[in-house]
Amino acid sequence: MSDFSFTCLSRGVAQTEQIGAQLGALLQSGDVLCLVGDLGAGKTAFARGVAAGWRSITPVTSPTFVLIHEHRRAQDAARLHHIDAYRLESLEDAVLLGLEDIFASQSAVIIEWADRIVPLLPSDYLWIALAHVPEDDQARLLTFSAHGARSAALLTALRKKLQT
Ligand SMILES: Nc1ncnc2c1ncn2[C@@H]1O[C@H](COP(=O)(O)OP(=O)(O)O)[C@@H](O)[C@H]1O
Ligand SMILES: [Mg+2]
């Protein structure tokens, strides 16, 4: 069960990136963002914004063969891992890839297709579902659901920023 959730509308890819960036600026070590939604829903666009807001010095690419990208930034030693679980065939694959080690580390994490690795998720995570909107191909509905105290605090801070 989610602690609380809210939904917002993005009217274009730039706005999805901007919302991601607002969240990225709030990210702390250990935070886990779970991105779910169909192909083309905007998960990678959102992740690009998160990395920019977090001030990554490395750009987000859609991980095609590389399933995990590690991002760094200039101002400190923090790490941000961007994972794409789309091609994982089993939970075993995810374990072999070292996902549990990444969750146990101090890194912040973004996971596309997180619905494929739910049993491996830590207890606290922010679930972000992106969905197409009928009859508007530039719009997406973003539904954020907090699971745990930290993600609830993160979501509260994000909502405050989006309202101002
Ligand atoms: N509001 C929107 N938010 C995100 N992407 C959008 C939006 N409107 C159109 N798009 C387009 O949808 C596609 C999303 O691609 P991508 O972020 O790679 O999706 P995913 O990672 O979920 O498969 C891009 O081509 C983007 O330009
Ligand atoms: Mg993607």
Side-chain angles (χ1 to χ4, degrees):
M1 274 303 285
S2 163
D3 295 339
F4 87 96
S5 61
F6 81 88
T7 299
C8 65
L9 181 72
S10 161
R11 298 189 178 281
V13 64
Q15 191 175 6
T16 297
E17 288 182 17
Q18 194 205 345
I19 296 167
Q22 307 253 45
L23 181 57
L26 296 167
L27 270 196
Q28 294 177 6
S29 80
D31 286 346
V32 175
L33 308 180
C34 297
L35 303 181
V36 298
D38 296 342
L39 268 178
K43 299 179 295 299
T44 300
F46 190 91
R48 201 182 301 129
V50 169
W54 182 81
R55 307 198 62 186
S56 172
I57 53 175
T58 43
V60 162
T61 53
S62 193
T64 308
F65 296 107
V66 183
L67 303 179
I68 302 181
H69 285 273
E70 186 187 84
H71 295 275
R72 302 173 181 222
R73 59 186 181 185
Q75 71 261 40
D76 57 28
R79 294 283 183 276
L80 172 66
H81 281 90
H82 176 207
I83 298 165
D84 193 329
Y86 184 63
R87 282 182 177 73
L88 293 180
E89 305 222 322
S90 65
L91 284 180
E92 212 168 79
D93 276 6
V95 172
L96 288 174
L97 208 59
L99 254 58
E100 291 171 307
D101 301 329
I102 292 173
F103 290 135
S105 75
Q106 287 306 299
S107 174
V109 187
I110 316 171
I111 315 140
E112 297 188 40
W113 299 98
D115 42 332
R116 304 197 172 193
I117 56 136
V118 167
L120 299 181
L121 291 175
S123 58
D124 197 316
Y125 56 86
L126 184 58
W127 192 261
I128 305 165
L130 297 94
H132 287 83
V133 174
E135 285 157 27
D136 185 349
D137 64 358
Q138 298 304 304
R140 301 289 187 272
L141 269 184
L142 278 55
T143 301
F144 298 83
S145 308
H147 295 257
R150 169 56 196 156
S151 56
L154 191 56
L155 191 50
T156 301
L158 176 65
R159 190 164 58 173
K160 210 174 278 177
K161 280 177 91 172
L162 292 177
Q163 280 167 352
T164 55

